[in-house]
């Protein structure tokens, strides 16, 4: 029995000793056990943008959830829809009518403004990623003959509009077994002046929002047959004012829809070459007086890494957060991995800034550029340590 008590006492004493030695609270004795070289020394530095500009890009809208169509001030957006090939079963059936149904889900400008559009037959193939407003308006791209018009005093954001379409245009498309492709779809040309409406596209998860082509035929025995085509491809092409944006170094213009992106250059030569980047944040200051938005706006930006050949690598991105400091609205974007790449030999020291909804909206984010006052210009705060 005595031996058991002695063993228990020794075990308890050992446990108390270990617990005391593993205390999370540092003391004067423990702090001197680690040599200084084994402690991680974090340093911080702030660098400001050395240059900035705004650059136009060809916006890929083929997968956009919205088809933007209309005019507001100097902004205009044209739409394209190509419905799937028609079945051979309708080849010899007489047409009764044809109509296009579009479901509204967005607007930019006067939500209750008049909306109107003209429909044309497209005469050539349009790529999903290279069409510009100039190539769209070039002679020969579409038939100047109007094959349908829609005129509406106003269109709310949850409404389906119907536009009658010339059946002779539909007939020129042929059917699925035709060896010669003649179905290049329809062009929707805006003819209004105060609003851009957004319509559901084939990329929407809800099929009730997809564009529809409703065709009525004279069937056998005088019976009316109806065919609804609701699959295909679409995109929009927008344009707007940007007279001096690329040359304005006091501001960066990030325009959704057209689109424009900001480009910001930094000099990080003050950082040690072999530094480990623990955290880096890009700070951009918002200028509300030169920006445009509405309640559809996603208030967020994307930062992209730029390769040494100048290519914007959209698969290397970071998303902003918004903060308010006094009266200033700031976009904070974590860019630590980008800075680490710079220190590992990347030659480019540029970041590209795009709107979060670049392919589906028309918001304009105006940010202060490199030539602004130091308190407003883009800056990066970097936390790093030297690799031992």
């Amino acid at each position: 029995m005595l031996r058991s008590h002695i063993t228990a006492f020794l075990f308890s004493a050992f446990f108390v000793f270990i617990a005391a030695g593993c205390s999370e609270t540092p003391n004067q004795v423990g702090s001197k056990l680690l040599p200084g070289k084994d402690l991680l020394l974090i340093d911080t530095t702030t660098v400001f943008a050395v240059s900035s500009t705004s650059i136009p890009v060809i916006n890929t809208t083929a997968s956009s959830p919205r088809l933007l169509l209309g005019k507001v001030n100097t902004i205009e957006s044209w739409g394209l829809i190509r419905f799937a090939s028609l079945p051979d079963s309708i080849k010899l059936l007489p047409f009764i009518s044809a109509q296009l149904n579009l479901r509204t889900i967005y607007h930019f400008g006067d939500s209750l403004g008049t909306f109107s559009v003209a429909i044309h037959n497209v005469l050539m193939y349009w790529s999903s990623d290279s069409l510009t407003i100039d190539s769209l308006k070039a002679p020969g791209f579409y038939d100047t003959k109007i094959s349908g018009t829609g005129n509406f005093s106003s269109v709310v954001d949850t409404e389906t509009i119907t536009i009658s379409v010339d059946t002779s245009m539909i007939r020129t498309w042929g059917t699925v077994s035709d060896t010669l492709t003649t179905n290049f779809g329809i062009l929707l040309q805006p003819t209004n002046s105060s609003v851009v409406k957004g319509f559901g596209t084939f990329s929407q998860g809800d099929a009730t929002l997809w564009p529809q082509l409703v065709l009525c035929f004279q069937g056998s025995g005088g019976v009316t047959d109806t065919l609804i085509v609701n699959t295909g491809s679409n995109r929009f092409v927008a344009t707007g004012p940007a007279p001096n944006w690329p040359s304005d170094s006091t501001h960066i213009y990030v325009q959704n829809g057209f689109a424009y992106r900001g480009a910001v250059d930094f000099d990080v030569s003050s950082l040690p070459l072999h530094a480990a980047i623990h955290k880096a944040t890009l700070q951009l200051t918002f200028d509300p007086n030169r920006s445009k938005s509405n309640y559809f706006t996603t208030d967020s930006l994307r930062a992209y890494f730029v390769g040494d050949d100048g290519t914007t690598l959209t698969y290397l991105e970071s998303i902003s957060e918004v903060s308010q400091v006094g009266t200033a609205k700031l976009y904070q974007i974590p860019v630590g991995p980008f800075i680490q790449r710079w220190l590992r030999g990347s030659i480019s020291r540029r970041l590209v800034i795009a709107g979060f909804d670049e392919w589906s909206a028309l918001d304009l984010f105006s940010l202060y550029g490199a030539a602004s006052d130091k308190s407003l210009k883009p800056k990066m705060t970097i936390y790093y340590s030297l690799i031992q």
Side-chain angles (χ1 to χ4, degrees):
M1 181 69 69
L2 178 60
R3 184 177 182 180
S4 298
H5 283 297
I6 293 173
T7 301
F9 173 78
L10 291 175
F11 178 79
S12 300
F14 177 77
F15 177 78
V16 171
F17 172 76
I18 292 297
C22 294
S23 173
E24 294 183 358
T25 303
N27 54 59
Q28 293 181 348
V29 176
S31 65
K32 296 179 180 179
L33 294 179
L34 289 175
K37 65 179 183 179
D38 289 344
L39 298 176
L40 185 62
L41 301 178
I42 304 296
D43 206 345
T44 181
T45 187
T46 299
V47 294
F48 294 88
V50 295
S51 65
S52 63
T53 187
S54 305
I55 51 178
V57 295
I58 296 177
N59 200 13
T60 302
T61 61
S63 299
S64 172
R66 298 171 182 154
L67 181 74
L68 304 186
L69 180 61
K71 290 183 181 179
V72 54
N73 299 323
T74 54
I75 295 176
E76 63 176 315
S77 186
W78 297 44
L80 289 154
I81 302 176
R82 182 182 182 273
F83 288 97
S85 298
L86 303 179
D88 292 332
S89 58
I90 68 149
K91 186 182 288 287
L92 300 178
L93 296 180
F95 267 111
I96 296 176
S97 65
Q99 68 182 41
L100 172 68
N101 294 336
L102 299 172
R103 175 66 153 75
T104 56
I105 57 174
Y106 170 88
H107 78 266
F108 190 85
D110 181 3
S111 62
L112 299 179
T114 58
F115 176 76
S116 58
V117 61
I119 292 178
H120 300 269
N121 193 33
V122 180
L123 302 177
M124 61 178 63
Y125 175 76
W126 38 278
S127 170
S128 62
D129 59 1
S130 62
L131 188 67
T132 66
I133 196 71
D134 291 333
S135 57
L136 181 151
K137 293 181 177 182
F141 181 81
Y142 66 91
D143 189 345
T144 56
K145 174 189 174 182
I146 295 177
S147 296
T149 57
N151 296 282
F152 307 91
S153 58
S154 66
V155 180
V156 299
D157 293 326
T158 56
E159 180 180 350
T160 296
I161 64 171
T162 297
I163 304 172
S164 296
V165 180
D166 187 350
T167 57
S168 63
M169 178 189 72
I170 307 296
R171 187 61 78 186
T172 65
W173 295 351
T175 56
V176 66
S177 65
D178 293 339
T179 56
L180 180 64
T181 300
T182 54
N183 175 14
F184 299 108
I186 60 176
L187 173 74
L188 296 101
Q189 176 189 5
T191 56
N192 64 307
S193 60
S194 64
V195 67
V196 172
K197 302 299 295 188
F199 300 94
T201 70
F202 299 117
S203 296
Q204 285 283 344
D206 183 355
T208 63
L209 303 179
W210 296 354
Q212 288 185 342
L213 182 64
V214 182
L215 306 176
C216 292
F217 305 90
Q218 185 72 48
S220 59
V223 177
T224 300
D225 290 330
T226 300
L227 172 66
I228 298 177
V229 186
N230 65 349
T231 58
S233 55
N234 52 253
R235 72 166 298 168
F236 69 85
V237 182
T239 187
N244 66 337
W245 288 0
S247 60
D248 184 359
S249 59
T250 65
H251 284 79
I252 300 167
Y253 298 92
V254 177
Q255 172 71 59
N256 289 335
F258 307 4
Y260 268 75
R261 295 173 178 174
V264 193
D265 299 290
F266 288 91
D267 179 2
V268 293
S269 59
S270 60
L271 289 171
L273 291 179
H274 301 292
I277 304 301
H278 299 281
K279 179 182 178 181
T281 303
L282 170 64
Q283 178 179 296
L284 302 166
T285 304
F286 182 70
D287 183 355
N289 297 321
R290 302 193 184 193
S291 301
K292 296 179 181 178
S293 61
N294 62 12
Y295 62 82
F296 288 101
T297 300
T298 300
D299 193 13
S300 187
L301 302 172
R302 303 176 190 262
Y304 295 128
F305 187 82
V306 177
D308 290 342
D309 61 353
T311 302
T312 299
L313 306 180
T314 55
Y315 61 87
L316 295 176
E317 71 166 7
S318 185
I319 308 300
S320 72
E321 295 181 354
V322 178
S323 63
Q324 194 78 25
V325 178
T327 59
K329 177 180 175 179
L330 308 176
Y331 292 92
Q332 309 267 6
I333 309 177
V335 292
F338 298 170
I339 311 307
Q340 193 69 76
R341 283 174 173 260
W342 289 356
L343 296 183
R344 289 178 179 173
S346 179
I347 298 174
S348 171
R349 298 291 188 271
R350 167 169 286 193
L351 297 176
V352 163
I353 312 300
F356 189 86
D357 287 336
E358 181 180 69
W359 64 338
S360 61
L362 289 168
D363 316 296
L364 171 60
F365 298 85
S366 178
L367 311 163
Y368 286 99
S372 299
D373 181 81
K374 189 174 183 179
S375 63
L376 299 173
K377 65 171 56 181
K379 70 176 183 180
M380 285 194 301
T381 304
I382 305 169
Y383 295 87
Y384 67 95
S385 65
L386 293 180
I387 298 176
Q388 299 295 329

